């Protein structure tokens, strides 16, 4: 508790271009090793790179979305280091003149407060290949399919002070890039991964402590756990009088620990210099303005519209707009039922519960937004009540048909005939005369508590089909005698 945590994040987002950053090879996950390469990707002498203009456009889109300066002149540089899966011996990246400059994001935290996190830069670079260690009998295989895949590396300022804040920031970046359509956000496949820089300093101290970098964390949950684990490790060392070594570490989720990989390099260790094979990129103002005008509605804008147009709370609007797929599902379902609050409650409630249980994304829901809206319409028009609605939804989820078909087949329509309800209530009152006398003898406050018994009896007798909106006033009137 005597330490302040200082966190900065580097998020690598794989851009959804059809071809690579500097070659015409296809980009795709899961292809046979070394089947998506060209001489450029293999680092062959004399093979010259050609910039993918779609990757450039996507980078500018992101810059606009995070309120950032756009680098009207940007330069590619060679970042020199050796790995077996980096055949050129250098990575083509950007250093002094990135395509996206200083920006910021206002991140909404779990308690409803907002935290502004600065963005230092976002630059284009090529990905390296992949080392494969399985099934090679003590040897390593190299797959260069990923080599030269376009990445946008998003570097934050060290403004983050907790694991929760870090996850909220990464989720917002994830939301933005998927809304823009520039990254599919599939962290399990490596389309988006995060390097976490962590240091501790005594509370009140302005000077930063020595940082470590945890490489390639690929889920929100692991980001949070890795931060907690590394903070605890650093605090133990410092409180024992030791010192933190600047290094790169790996998070092991199975053991919930971080392990040292190598000493951490500084920028001068990479011997950056402008790439002689690629000219500087000079943008026109007209090009930048056209991209800004083409941006889709972003998460924060959609949340604001949900509040003003649908009268949703700030919390509901934030949750529903956090994913473009969820926002679209909500709006398509609400177009059927025309009841935003009912739709929001069911999307965030029953639908999200079943999606989580099945480990499905909302885009893969077995119940479409339109048929979901038809179910909600039957709740709204009192054909069924909310409790029965859950039963119908479960049947829809399991593929038993539409809401109307299930309601009809199972005989689940609410009893809305006031005459039938009165007859049912009279039968119950006749069978419970002692409770009726106790109710009539009680004061008003006790009667409010006692009426629940009679409501329960009516719902039991009707097998849950009696409309509560009709039962309660009729019951209260008949109990008066």
């Amino acid at each position: 508790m005597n330490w302040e945590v200082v966190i900065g994040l580097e998020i690598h987002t794989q851009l959804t271009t059809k071809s690579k950053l500097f070659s015409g090879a296809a980009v795709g996950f899961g292809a046979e090793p070394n089947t998506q390469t060209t001489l450029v990707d293999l680092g062959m002498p004399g093979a010259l790179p050609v910039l993918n203009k779609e990757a450039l456009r996507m980078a500018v889109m992101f810059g606009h979305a995070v309120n950032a300066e756009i680098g009207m002149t940007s330069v590619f540089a060679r970042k020199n280091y050796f790995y077996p899966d980096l055949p050129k011996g250098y990575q083509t990246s950007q250093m002094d003149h990135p395509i996206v400059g200083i920006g910021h994001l206002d991140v909404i935290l779990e308690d409803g407060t907002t935290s502004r996190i600065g963005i230092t830069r976002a630059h284009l670079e090529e990905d390296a290949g992949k080392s494969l260690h399985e099934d090679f009998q003590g040897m390593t295989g190299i797959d260069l399919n990923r080599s030269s895949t376009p990445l946008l590396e998003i570097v934050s300022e060290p403004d983050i002070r907790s694991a929760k804040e870090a996850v909220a920031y990464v989720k917002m970046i994830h939301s933005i890039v998927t809304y823009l359509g520039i990254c599919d956000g599939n962290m399990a496949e490596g389309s988006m991964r995060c390097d976490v820089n962590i240091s501790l300093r005594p509370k009140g101290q302005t000077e930063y402590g020595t940082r470590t970098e945890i490489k390639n964390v690929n889920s929100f949950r692991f980001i949070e756990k890795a931060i907690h684990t590394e903070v605890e490790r650093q605090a133990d060392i410092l409180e024992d009088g030791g010192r933190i070594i600047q290094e790169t570490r790996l998070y092991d989720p199975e053991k919930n620990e971080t392990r040292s990989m190598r000493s951490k390099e500084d920028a001068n260790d990479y011997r950056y210099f402008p790439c002689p094979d690629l000219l500087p990129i000079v943008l026109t103002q007209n090009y930048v303005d056209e991209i800004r005008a083409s941006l889709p509605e972003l998460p924060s804008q959609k949340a604001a519209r949900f509040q003003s147009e649908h009268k949703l709370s700030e919390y509901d609007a934030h949750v529903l707009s956090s994913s473009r797929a969820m926002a679209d599902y909500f709006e398509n379902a609400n177009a059927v039922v025309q009841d935003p609050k009912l739709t929001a409650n069911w999307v965030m409630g029953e639908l999200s519960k079943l999606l989580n249980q099945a480990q499905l994304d909302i885009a893969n829901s077995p119940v479409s937004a339109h048929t979901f809206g038809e179910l909600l319409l039957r709740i709204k028009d009192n054909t069924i009540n909310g409790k029965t609605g859950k039963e119908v939804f479960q049947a829809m989820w399991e593929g038993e048909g539409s809401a109307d078909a299930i309601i009809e087949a199972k005989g689940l329509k609410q009893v809305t005939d006031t005459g039938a309800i009165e007859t049912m209530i009279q039968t119950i009152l006749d069978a419970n005369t002692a409770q009726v006398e106790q109710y009539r003898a009680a004061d008003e406050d006790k009667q409010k508590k006692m009426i629940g018994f009679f409501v329960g009896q009516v719902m039991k007798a009707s097998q849950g089909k009696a409309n509560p909106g009709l039962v309660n006033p009729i019951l209260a009137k008949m109990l008066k005698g």
Side-chain angles (χ1 to χ4, degrees), residues 113-130:
T113 60
T114 299
S115 177
R116 174 161 290 191
I117 297 172
I119 291 175
T120 309
R121 56 192 279 134
H123 59 265
L124 285 167
E125 65 182 21
E126 61 180 345
D127 207 347
K130 187 176 182 180

Side-chain angles (χ1 to χ4, degrees), residues 165-184:
E165 193 175 14
V167 171
Y169 169 78
V170 178
K171 284 183 175 179
M172 181 161 280
I173 293 289
H174 185 277
S175 181
I176 288 171
V177 298
T178 51
Y179 262 77
L180 292 174
I182 65 174
C183 177
D184 64 22

